[in-house]
Amino acid sequence: MNLRAILIFLLLLLSVYQDFPLVNIFGEIARSPIVFISPFLLLYLLFSKKIKISNYTKLFITYIIYLMVISIIHITYILIVQNQLIFLGENLIIKTIKMMTYPIVALIYYQFFYTFLEKKDFRFDTFFKSLFYLQVFLIVFIIFEAFYSKKLDTFMDYIHSNDLKYWRIRLLTYEESWVGSIITIISFLNMYLVTYLDKRKIVMLVTYLSSIFFIIFYSIRSESKGYLLVFLISALPLLIQYLYNNKKTRKFLIIGIVCIFSLGITLFFSLKEFVFQQLYSSITFGTRFSSYLSAISTFAYHPLGVGWGPYLCFYPNNLIDVINSDIMSPFNLEEVKLYLNDTKSLSSKTYFFDNLVFGGIPFLLFYFIFFIKRYIYFSKLKIQQLAFIRIPLLYVILSSLLYVTFSIKYEVWFFMAFLDVLQKKIKSKVLV
């Protein structure tokens, strides 16, 4: 690897490092080291000879500006009507500034990767090398972690925010539910890039085998039901379609379908058993369902959104109403009730429903254009290899609805930046 590839590798590694110990000093924003790297990324952009801003970046900027404006409007309204700005022990202005940091850092990070990848064609090759070596590193890491996960000994606990024993696979993240997007994006993006760049057969073989191993190994060891469900929906139909449409793999379709369906059936029954056994007893379902309903209720009363900090004035009241409703009475609500004591965990824990509260209808427009419309675009193209793009993109969309927030999920943002550049390249070739 050359120096540029090494630097990108290190940046990607820091991107998937999502349990940085400095969170104990600086708060949640420091759970990823990217916040400390972002000033250097901004300097790179400022000193670039020419900064090209895509339509997606402009949309991202517009949405952030809207959230700033709607936050200021609601803070002013709350101050006039209620004559206070302290809710659950936190100042709404300070909370707004804190929460504003996440999308701004994500924007800088997104624009850095867009600028880097867009400059020259060989940048895709550099990106592939860095991403491939990141995958190799994570495969080695996950094997050691899996070995130690069922033992009393801890594996590299000093790299995490606390030294408590964690019994599941979480890689460099805070908890297991954060791992799925990392593995899905890195694995499928590697398979796409090695095909797109038309690498030597041995490189293709090694990349495909390592990517498939990475996915299968984690899927077998994973106890994250959210990941299993979303991956099942995202990957299986498109993988079967890819095997059928590709002449080279069509002859192996029967074997492929047997393997895929075996994995799918295993995952399906695992999920089915979990749901039936723990639907009402598990705190997960009670917390998720009540959070979704609270977000929808807040949106219904405030369709234009309430902004970042001011949500503390509105969302908890709706959450209390949902918890006390008859529809939620059969569920275990112990965890979600604890969320009402402070602001640390008070959210829906999903990117979609959190932003539905923050941004309302303008967010729905942003979400459709930034995520769903891109999926529609890549789905319409008759290019077989784009199945490796559609799978992680669909995974991102579904996980944002069900169980993941993207505040520090920087693998999502470099993936979306890559798609931005890829879409531009595809359009230019079509025009030619």
Side-chain angles (χ1 to χ4, degrees), residues 370-405:
F370 199 84
F371 292 100
I372 297 176
K373 195 173 181 181
R374 275 202 248 202
Y375 181 80
I376 294 172
Y377 171 80
F378 286 112
S379 297
K380 288 181 178 179
L381 297 174
K382 304 300 180 181
I383 303 174
Q384 293 177 6
Q385 290 76 17
L386 287 179
F388 296 136
I389 292 297
R390 295 199 301 272
I391 289 172
L393 183 52
L394 182 57
Y395 183 97
V396 166
I397 292 170
L398 294 177
S399 63
S400 73
L401 287 165
L402 294 177
Y403 77 106
V404 175
T405 181

Side-chain angles (χ1 to χ4, degrees), residues 120-276:
K120 297 177 181 178
D121 289 337
F122 72 81
R123 295 291 176 88
F124 269 31
D125 187 68
T126 302
F127 183 57
F128 165 68
K129 290 177 182 176
S130 304
L131 198 65
F132 174 75
Y133 283 109
L134 174 65
Q135 178 169 278
V136 172
F137 172 84
L138 292 177
I139 287 173
V140 174
F141 190 96
I142 201 173
I143 290 172
F144 277 98
E145 188 181 24
F147 176 77
Y148 279 96
S149 64
K150 302 304 179 182
K151 296 180 176 293
L152 293 177
D153 297 331
T154 56
F155 177 63
M156 298 180 69
D157 58 324
Y158 51 85
I159 68 172
H160 291 282
S161 57
N162 63 65
D163 57 1
L164 299 177
K165 173 65 179 177
Y166 195 84
W167 299 93
R168 298 181 177 184
I169 301 295
R170 60 172 172 174
L171 290 180
L172 302 172
T173 72
Y174 175 65
E175 61 178 57
E176 189 183 23
S177 62
W178 294 14
V179 175
S181 58
I182 294 173
I183 290 179
T184 304
I185 288 172
I186 291 175
S187 299
F188 283 103
L189 194 49
N190 266 314
M191 287 191 282
Y192 175 76
L193 282 168
V194 76
T195 308
Y196 176 88
L197 296 169
D198 195 22
K199 292 290 186 178
R200 291 181 294 121
K201 288 185 178 180
I202 184 63
V203 178
M204 282 192 179
L205 180 63
V206 171
T207 303
Y208 272 78
L209 289 178
S210 60
S211 298
I212 293 170
F213 172 81
F214 198 22
I215 293 170
I216 293 178
F217 184 87
Y218 176 68
S219 297
I220 293 173
R221 293 302 302 265
S222 176
E223 297 180 40
S224 171
K225 305 306 176 183
Y227 161 77
L228 295 175
L229 174 63
V230 173
F231 185 80
L232 194 66
I233 297 172
S234 303
L236 292 188
L238 288 175
L239 283 176
I240 293 172
Q241 183 183 20
Y242 175 79
L243 288 171
Y244 178 78
N245 291 336
N246 192 321
K247 293 181 180 179
K248 294 180 180 180
T249 57
R250 188 178 298 173
K251 56 186 176 181
F252 302 111
L253 183 60
I254 296 178
I255 298 175
I257 287 180
V258 170
C259 295
I260 290 172
F261 267 103
S262 297
L263 177 62
I265 290 172
T266 301
L267 297 180
F268 173 78
F269 280 106
S270 175
L271 287 168
K272 181 180 178 182
E273 182 180 359
F274 175 79
V275 170
F276 280 120

